[in-house]
Amino acid sequence: MSPKTRMIEVRENILKQNDIAARALRQRFQDAEVFVVSMVSSPGAGKTALLEKILTVLRAQFRVAALVGDLATENDAVRLARSRAPVRQIITGTVCHLEAAMVQKALEEWKLNELDFLFIENVGNLVCPSSYDLGEDLRLVLMSVTEGEDKPLKYPTIFNSADVALVTKMDLAAAVEFDSVTTHCNIQAVRPGMAVFDVSAKSDSGMEEFLNFLRSRRAVRATATTRE
Amino acid sequence: MSPKTRMIEVRENILKQNDIAARALRQRFQDAEVFVVSMVSSPGAGKTALLEKILTVLRAQFRVAALVGDLATENDAVRLARSRAPVRQIITGTVCHLEAAMVQKALEEWKLNELDFLFIENVGNLVCPSSYDLGEDLRLVLMSVTEGEDKPLKYPTIFNSADVALVTKMDLAAAVEFDSVTTHCNIQAVRPGMAVFDVSAKSDSGMEEFLNFLRSRRAVRATATTRE
């Protein structure tokens, strides 16, 4: 067997194991009635800034917490601690994505039924995290206006694996001559019907609409769970 | 053996095979006296814009060509064709990085001794390309001012695997309140002594200095080869 074929086989096994762990996580999240939102994007697309804003605003009304993944440093956990929400850093070392088992381990001692929202910020990588289910209810893919309008076309898998797209750093749109229409067309070309929010964590533009979307998605999930 | 252990073993085999292919490439580049520069960065850090500028300027004086890697689309090759330099796109599918064998295949029919410079633009990914030697003389890592000053600390491996760092989109530095001193300190903390250029492909700021660096590095390599 060629190393390439073996690599594919071993990778499929890992993905299968990840799916099993993700299924267990999803059940645990559902039993605890916590709504779980994960975030994927390129490095520097603004996941942490957006998450700090989300935690700060939602904290007034909900019990919120976050896990943040990075290869190295606890910088993001330190930044997010300013929101006063509980935050735990997952250091992946050289692993280019979060896996369900890492999330399981990080949450081992957490009482999830004391939470309404849990956010999981993935490693900054627009390729590899797409294959790993983390048991989340909602996966957000972020792209900033500074990255260029063609990113959905060039990284279609991650847009396909996500539920919602966020176009971030809208406060810089004019400075970079951002073409919003082309971007939205590119997202719809890759994933027809995808919900898209244009936001700026700096100017707050679009944030209330997006936060209302999160609140309503959680409410719908809560109703569905009660009915079961 | 656990899937994780097997994954590591199989990955090591692939890296070994890549190193063998990269060694053959390096010899081929040296024999042809072509200076090969590769570029790695996050998606949207400005690799293609910078490369278009480099090709356009150097073309007046040198025989230049480029290979560009992406998961999907031939967009970059189309953009770079405007420079009138020969450009070939490598579509990786779901593979998150370029490998030496992909470069070998793309260059099969090329007469490399008719080139002075060959540029290789990797897939946008600040993690995975770091492990794959492409036989290049010089590896550039790009980070744009919009990504945040902490990127070298959060993605140390790729900064360690590169020879030169480029801070791109300097025309946006004021708009994003970019902290240049902190960024340079973070780069030096991860890789002491690394050469760093602050550039903007849009305003041309810093470009001449960087291009002179490339010209001089090529000249030094050419002299060393002649002496052998």
Side-chain angles (χ1 to χ4, degrees), chain B residues 43-56:
Chain B
K47 289 185 295 304
T48 313
L50 186 82
L51 187 47
E52 188 180 349
K53 180 68 70 170
I54 291 172
L55 294 175
T56 306

Side-chain angles (χ1 to χ4, degrees), chain A residues 144-148 169 171-178 202, chain B residues 44-46 144-147 149 167-179 199-203 205:
Chain A
S144 73
V145 298
T146 65
E147 291 172 48
K169 307 195 188 180
D171 53 293
L172 295 173
V176 298
E177 297 166 45
F178 177 66
K202 195 172 180 185
Chain B
S144 73
V145 298
T146 66
E147 291 172 48
E149 294 80 3
V167 182
T168 60
K169 307 195 189 182
M170 283 302 289
D171 53 293
L172 295 173
V176 299
E177 297 165 44
F178 177 67
D179 181 344
V199 298
S200 165
K202 196 171 179 183
S203 74
S205 135

Side-chain angles (χ1 to χ4, degrees), chain A:
Chain A
M1 203 189 287
S2 78
K4 215 67 190 184
T5 318
R6 277 193 65 196
M7 181 73 160
I8 291 167
E9 195 193 74
V10 172
R11 192 164 174 271
E12 277 173 2
N13 275 337
I14 287 181
L15 286 175
K16 260 184 226 159
Q17 283 209 329
N18 187 77
D19 283 343
I20 294 165
R23 213 174 301 143
L25 267 179
R26 186 164 281 116
Q27 189 61 52
R28 196 178 156 207
F29 295 153
Q30 204 168 321
D31 293 345
E33 292 179 29
V34 55
F35 191 74
V36 181
V37 181
S38 78
M39 305 164 85
V40 293
S41 82
S42 305
K47 290 185 294 306
T48 313
L50 186 80
L51 188 47
E52 187 179 351
K53 180 66 73 169
I54 291 172
L55 294 175
T56 305
V57 176
L58 288 187
R59 225 184 127 257
Q61 194 188 351
F62 298 99
R63 299 163 302 172
V64 296
L67 297 179
V68 284
D70 265 309
L71 303 187
T73 85
E74 301 240 340
N75 290 6
D76 286 356
V78 172
R79 276 175 72 188
L80 291 172
R82 296 187 299 211
S83 71
R84 299 192 168 186
V87 177
R88 181 168 292 174
Q89 182 85 44
I90 302 176
I91 306 270
T92 65
T94 57
V95 181
C96 54
H97 57 269
L98 287 181
E99 295 179 10
M102 299 177 192
V103 174
Q104 275 181 324
K105 195 165 173 239
L107 293 177
E108 247 167 23
E109 293 146 31
W110 284 34
K111 289 178 186 158
L112 292 179
N113 57 354
E114 293 177 1
L115 288 178
D116 299 311
F117 279 101
L118 172 68
F119 294 88
I120 306 174
E121 182 186 328
N122 217 312
V123 175
N125 185 328
L126 214 47
V127 187
C128 314
S130 59
S131 313
Y132 294 85
D133 184 2
L134 302 179
E136 66 271 67
D137 293 287
L138 205 65
R139 183 178 291 188
L140 315 176
V141 59
L142 281 69
M143 61 169 280
S144 73
V145 298
T146 65
E147 291 172 48
E149 295 79 4
D150 60 351
K151 291 303 161 290
L153 303 178
K154 290 169 87 174
Y155 301 85
T157 312
I158 205 144
F159 279 81
N160 267 308
S161 83
D163 303 291
V164 177
L166 287 164
V167 182
T168 60
K169 307 195 188 180
M170 284 300 290
D171 53 293
L172 295 173
V176 298
E177 297 166 45
F178 177 66
D179 182 343
S180 180
V181 174
T182 300
T183 301
H184 282 248
C185 286
N186 288 344
I187 293 172
Q188 297 302 323
V190 168
R191 176 105 198 230
M194 190 175 213
V196 186
F197 293 89
D198 294 343
V199 297
S200 164
K202 195 172 180 185
S203 74
D204 276 344
S205 134
M207 283 304 296
E208 200 44 40
E209 196 183 350
F210 171 62
L211 288 169
N212 280 337
F213 173 80
L214 284 187
R215 290 182 187 106
S216 64
R217 285 296 298 256
R218 182 185 163 273
V220 169
R221 220 290 299 265
T223 315
T225 311
T226 314
R227 274 195 199 137
E228 270 169 13

